Amino acid sequence: MSLPPSSGPNDESSPRDDHSLDWNAMIGGEPRADTPPGASAPMPAAAPQPQSRREARQAAQRTHDLDEHLTAAPVKGGRSARRAEFGVVEVETKPKRGAWGCLIALLVVIGLLVAAFFLVQGPFNDFMARFQPAADYEGSGTGEVTFMITEGDTGTTIATGLHEQGITASFDAFYDLVVATSPAPVFHPGAYTMAEKMSSRAALDALLDPANRLESTFVIPEGTAAPEALERAAEGTGIPLADLQAAAADYGAYGLPAEATGVEGFLFPATYTFDPGATATQVIQTMVDRTFQALTSAGVDPANYWNTIILASIVQREAGSDQNDFPKIARVFQNRLDQGMNLQSDATVAYGTGNTHTVWTTDEERADASNLYNTYANPGLPVGPIGNPGDVAIAAAQTPADGPWLFFVPINLDTGETVFSETVDQHDAAVQQLQDWCRASDENAARCE
């Protein structure tokens, strides 16, 4: 997730310059009022950390191994063992406790249990939730979805992608199945015919069935940067990556806007199938033509292709899963442009650092004006697109929603719910909602790091 736009320390046009917000500020807690300046806050007592499913499995295996060792090799000798050989049984004796002593001890235990219940109820519930069966669908699913496996994808990567595309009900259901399968499954790069809402078992079987692999087919997801798009095209078509990269370097051959310095932004995200023998140039031209089709359908004037693609690429990377928010996010950025405010998009900063798979940035990166994609330190749109936007993002950039908003921030990373604000105070209140969500559980906190 990226840092939502906010007023920066050097943004003179912002409503309040002292309310610049970065991600660390949003999720970080306030220092305790009783902590002297310059002193470190006292460290809380360490609490048992909930185990992930993998940690639980590993711990269980270690316990099992230890039990087998103890059963197979009992300790011999010792006084008790020698006495047992002669039929002597030792009985531990304890001093008797009076009725009042027992009652007091019982009340103390009850008090401790009650206190412990209220103190650890939340963490205990989080802990127990980790041992509930992972959400899973039943059956082989419905409809048709094309799923892409690329070179180097792991079980973790594939489990994440399946869940994000709505193929499986959860990451854990598929990942746990892969881990438990022996011998370990071997996944081959390529595009596969899948369905929506498949059980983890059905999804795994489909990916391991060569009959489901589509020949000369590849998928470009929305927001994918050009280097990865070319890799996917090479894996799906069998065309050497070097050939596709060379064809892309000749970007002037595809009718791109005069401002373009590469094919970035014009490799349209979609599922492509080519006949055997297709050339690298034909593949790239097909993707570029599909982008022009999307621009035309959205009613974009050819003279505005370049700026529209840039803005659409930012909206694509900044938006969550709710496509209804795309026009609102486009409006936020357009309002900031109209008012002379810096866009302050972490997605653009990350792209300029070469991190095309993330939108996380550091204070130093956001302060680096030499990064021409840095919309914190530089005004206006960045020097080029930061990925390849889809139909919804292009339409949003062409026709933003009506609204006065200057800020936006997601307040629930599960649902993608986003709050749009006009003032810094409203934005601060929304950021507090995000902080509350991040602190609601250990799992949420990990996603906010």
Side-chain angles (χ1 to χ4, degrees):
M1 196 197 90
S2 63
L3 174 66
S6 59
S7 56
N10 298 318
D11 187 353
E12 297 179 356
S13 61
S14 297
R16 278 171 36 197
D17 290 342
D18 58 343
H19 280 75
S20 175
L21 296 173
D22 60 28
W23 186 251
N24 293 331
M26 285 197 295
I27 65 173
E30 294 295 330
R32 287 181 46 172
D34 58 349
T35 302
S40 300
M43 295 295 291
Q49 297 298 316
Q51 291 179 309
S52 66
R53 287 184 170 84
R54 177 178 290 183
E55 291 170 339
R57 289 193 296 268
Q58 293 172 343
Q61 184 61 47
R62 290 194 295 269
T63 303
H64 175 71
D65 293 343
L66 180 59
D67 289 342
E68 287 189 343
H69 172 72
L70 293 177
T71 302
V75 178
K76 297 182 178 180
R79 186 182 67 173
S80 298
R82 292 194 299 271
R83 292 171 64 87
E85 292 177 358
F86 296 94
V88 180
V89 178
E90 293 190 5
V91 178
E92 181 179 1
T93 59
K94 296 183 179 179
K96 295 183 178 180
R97 181 182 291 124
W100 281 108
C102 292
L103 178 61
I104 292 174
L106 179 61
L107 291 175
V108 170
V109 170
I110 293 173
L112 290 174
L113 290 174
V114 171
F117 174 80
F118 287 104
L119 288 174
V120 305
Q121 182 179 19
F124 177 76
N125 290 339
D126 291 340
F127 176 80
M128 292 302 297
R130 293 175 178 267
F131 294 92
Q132 299 300 317
D136 200 0
Y137 295 126
E138 295 183 359
S140 56
T142 59
E144 185 172 304
V145 179
T146 302
F147 183 74
M148 189 78 183
I149 296 178
T150 60
E151 188 70 35
D153 278 357
T154 64
T156 299
T157 309
I158 295 171
T160 300
L162 290 170
H163 178 49
E164 289 179 348
Q165 284 191 230
I167 297 172
T168 56
S170 66
F171 167 91
D172 288 323
F174 183 84
Y175 182 82
D176 290 348
L177 177 61
V178 170
V179 171
T181 300
S182 181
V186 177
F187 300 103
H188 298 283
Y192 292 81
T193 299
M194 307 287 284
E196 295 180 345
K197 298 184 177 181
M198 302 178 75
S199 70
S200 55
R201 167 54 64 185
L204 179 59
D205 290 344
L207 291 178
L208 298 179
D209 185 353
N212 288 327
R213 189 176 187 276
L214 302 173
E215 296 297 329
S216 297
T217 299
F218 61 92
V219 182
I220 306 295
E222 286 85 353
T224 303
E228 182 183 344
L230 295 178
E231 291 175 1
R232 285 173 169 260
E235 290 162 355
T237 63
I239 298 173
L241 177 59
D243 290 355
L244 286 162
Q245 291 171 333
D250 186 21
Y251 57 88
Y254 303 104
L256 301 179
E259 302 93 335
T261 58
V263 296
E264 187 69 275
F266 293 89
L267 303 179
F268 192 81
T271 299
Y272 296 94
T273 299
F274 290 89
D275 294 331
T279 66
T281 299
Q282 289 172 333
V283 169
I284 293 177
Q285 186 68 69
T286 299
M287 291 190 282
V288 171
D289 289 344
R290 179 63 180 83
T291 300
F292 287 148
Q293 178 185 336
L295 289 165
T296 301
S297 297
V300 182
D301 188 301
N304 296 328
Y305 279 180
W306 182 243
N307 285 347
T308 301
I309 282 293
I310 294 177
L311 180 56
S313 71
I314 299 173
V315 172
Q316 187 74 71
R317 292 296 301 278
E318 289 278 8
S321 58
D322 188 350
Q323 294 186 345
N324 293 322
D325 286 340
F326 281 47
K328 296 180 182 179
I329 292 174
R331 172 52 63 190
V332 168
F333 288 128
Q334 189 61 57
N335 285 346
R336 294 177 76 90
L337 289 171
D338 293 343
Q339 297 184 30
M341 301 171 64
N342 287 1
L343 296 185
Q344 296 186 329
S345 162
D346 279 39
T348 64
V349 178
Y351 181 89
T353 65
N355 295 321
T356 59
H357 292 84
T358 182
V359 293
W360 297 99
T361 61
T362 65
D363 291 339
E364 292 75 16
E365 289 170 343
R366 292 190 293 272
D368 181 12
S370 67
N371 175 359
L372 298 183
Y373 289 89
N374 184 350
T375 54
Y376 279 86
N378 298 301
L381 292 170
V383 295
I386 61 170
N388 294 282
D391 284 309
V392 177
I394 291 174
Q398 170 65 9
T399 310
D402 292 329
W405 314 293
L406 295 173
F407 311 90
F408 67 91
V409 61
I411 61 172
N412 186 314
L413 303 189
D414 283 334
T415 65
E417 181 181 357
T418 299
V419 172
F420 295 83
S421 304
E422 182 179 359
T423 68
V424 172
D425 287 340
Q426 293 170 351
H427 184 57
D428 287 346
V431 169
Q432 182 60 54
Q433 290 181 269
L434 172 62
Q435 292 175 336
D436 293 341
W437 185 90
C438 291
R439 295 167 181 154
S441 70
D442 291 338
E443 182 178 354
N444 289 3
R447 296 182 61 186
C448 296
E449 292 177 351

